[in-house]
Amino acid sequence: MGRSLKPFRRPWLWAGLWMLAIAVVVAGSLLPGKDLPALPVSDKFEHFAAYAVLAGGAVQLFARRLSWGFICVLLVLMGIGLEFLQAQMGLGRTLDRADALANGIGALIGLASAFTPLRDALLEFDHRF
């Protein structure tokens, strides 16, 4: 599976779930405004949490710091790009710089999980089961 992924017993499962999470974020970002459910939290928190989970997932999956940084940059660019797409698609959504900022901060917080004892939690879970 390459040098970048950690030595999982089921690398395709974990990488596939992470890619599915990315697809869910992209799809949710491009839904028409009227199709979005009303949640009891700020949409900024939703953006922050989604990108923190995606970046934290990258920390769980990949062994190399270079990979973490590269994916974090890609997530920030993805968040900015999705904001531009929302504005261009005419689906009742607008470009919101605060959303893009929340995405970026979330990605950085997820990346920061690399410096905690939880950095290898998924690897340990994978080896137990």
Side-chain angles (χ1 to χ4, degrees), residues 5-50:
L5 283 183
K6 292 179 182 178
F8 291 108
R9 290 176 47 204
R10 300 169 199 89
W12 291 104
L13 171 66
W14 305 122
L17 288 173
W18 182 68
M19 288 185 279
L20 178 62
I22 291 172
V24 167
V25 169
V26 169
S29 296
L30 298 178
L31 282 175
K34 61 180 172 54
D35 293 344
L36 295 174
L39 297 176
V41 296
S42 164
D43 76 313
K44 305 308 178 250
F45 179 77
E46 294 171 24
H47 284 264
F48 168 81

Side-chain angles (χ1 to χ4, degrees), residues 38-119:
L39 297 176
V41 296
S42 164
D43 76 313
K44 305 308 178 250
F45 179 77
E46 294 171 24
H47 284 264
F48 168 81
Y51 282 79
V53 167
L54 293 178
V59 168
Q60 293 299 312
L61 281 174
F62 298 98
R64 299 171 59 196
R65 290 181 182 196
L66 182 62
S67 298
W68 300 338
F70 182 69
I71 289 169
C72 189
V73 168
L74 288 179
L75 287 172
V76 169
L77 292 174
M78 181 180 89
I80 293 168
L82 287 171
E83 287 299 318
F84 278 103
L85 279 174
Q86 287 175 356
Q88 296 300 315
M89 291 178 67
L91 298 173
R93 311 270 309 259
T94 60
L95 186 148
D96 187 347
R97 290 184 179 119
D99 286 350
L101 180 62
N103 296 342
I105 293 171
L108 290 174
I109 293 298
L111 179 65
S113 70
F115 304 104
T116 71
L118 297 175
R119 177 177 66 209

